[in-house]
Amino acid sequence: MKKLKKIFILELLLFFILSSNCYATDQQISQDEILESQQNSLNISKFIEEANKYTENVFDDISIEELFNSAITGKIDNTSIWKKIINLIGKEIVDCLNVLGSIIIIIVIHSILRSISEGLENKSISQITYYVQYILIVTLIMTNFSDIIQMVRTSIESLVGFMNSLIPILITLMLTTGNIASARSIRTYNIVHHHFYWKFHNSSINTIYTYINSTWNCVKSI
Amino acid sequence: MEDIIKIVGIGLIALIIIVIVKQYRPEFVLYISLIAGALIIMLIMNKVGAIIELLSSLSSKTALNNEFLVLLIKITGIAFLTEFTVSICKDTGETAIASKVDLGGKVLIISMSIPIIASLLETIIKILP
């Protein structure tokens, strides 16, 4: 009980000593000027430049700056973003179907050639031709697979870069608007630790998965 | 329907001639089987050409490079000719020559498929970091 009283009195003293005075003015300041001054003090323009680097291949006609400004003033236009996302998914699926069709045609060609060369009496020669055709099919499938892995790698890299540039701004904004608890719950140590771990074990899918997990947790906690 | 009758007819007639000629001049057996084989191959040349055209038209629709298909058809042709010669040699009893021709055919097939294996290795190396 005594300790609680001491803490209470100390808090009251601090509250009265450390408070600052606030005055209202007659001056008419427009909303745009306020936004600009906030942006300059928090280095938001630098973040927008960096973010544009990551999204310029994907979102051509939506700029991050417009999105940001419209989000600040409260008018968020979600429909265009959703349309863009669905367009991207559809394009990827169509490309995938093309590749699938070409693989099926290649396998048909291989079966025709194999049926011709299997009629030979000599087992070893027919086996050799079969294996040569098999290597060709495997090569074609491998090229598609390597394209996919390249795409996944670049997208994960840009995701990581975007998140890295987003986190400081995010925490700063959260602190300035007062959500200290949310800012603490992002677990910055976890993210930085996973970032370095990912750089050292670049080819391990496990770390990529755990990194994606941690960024997803971060996004969920917003 | 007519083509199979022609092929079967040539085969049976060659067989009968060989059985008859073997008693008098055994050295002509080789020539008769060679000629019969060549006749049969000439008969099916048209059909083989049509199949190859079908394959190339299929492959032009996909991303498959045309020279790989040409390579595959050449390899199939090498295999077939090697088989032909090996079986004729074995028929006349010269298994040594047959095995040498066999070995030559296998080496040629592998040497023709070197670009395919090289492209496979290249693709695998591209995946590795």
Side-chain angles (χ1 to χ4, degrees), chain B residues 74-90:
Chain B
K74 274 190 192 168
I75 287 176
T76 312
I78 288 179
F80 178 67
L81 283 177
T82 314
E83 168 62 31
F84 185 62
T85 314
V86 160
S87 59
I88 282 190
C89 288
K90 279 197 183 150

Side-chain angles (χ1 to χ4, degrees), chain B residues 8 14-15 18 21 25-27 48 53-55 59 72 74 80-81 85 102 105 110 116 118 125:
Chain B
V8 165
L15 184 64
I18 284 177
V21 167
R25 298 285 174 125
E27 56 261 16
V48 166
E53 259 190 47
L54 165 73
L55 289 181
S59 83
L72 275 182
K74 274 190 192 168
F80 178 67
L81 283 177
T85 314
D102 198 15
I110 292 181
I116 297 179
I125 285 176

Side-chain angles (χ1 to χ4, degrees), chain A residues 7-17:
Chain A
I7 292 175
F8 187 61
I9 292 176
L10 205 57
E11 245 187 86
L12 275 182
L13 278 176
L14 277 174
F15 181 67
F16 282 123
I17 291 175

Side-chain angles (χ1 to χ4, degrees), chain A residues 116-135:
Chain A
I116 288 181
S117 65
E118 222 181 32
L120 313 173
E121 258 184 33
N122 213 347
K123 285 287 180 203
S124 49
I125 286 191
S126 75
Q127 261 187 358
I128 285 185
T129 51
Y130 171 68
Y131 281 131
V132 166
Q133 293 166 7
Y134 191 69
I135 284 178

Side-chain angles (χ1 to χ4, degrees), chain B residues 59-70:
Chain B
S59 83
S60 64
K61 289 187 192 155
T62 75
L64 178 61
N65 213 353
N66 207 20
E67 49 184 63
F68 280 148
L69 185 71
V70 166

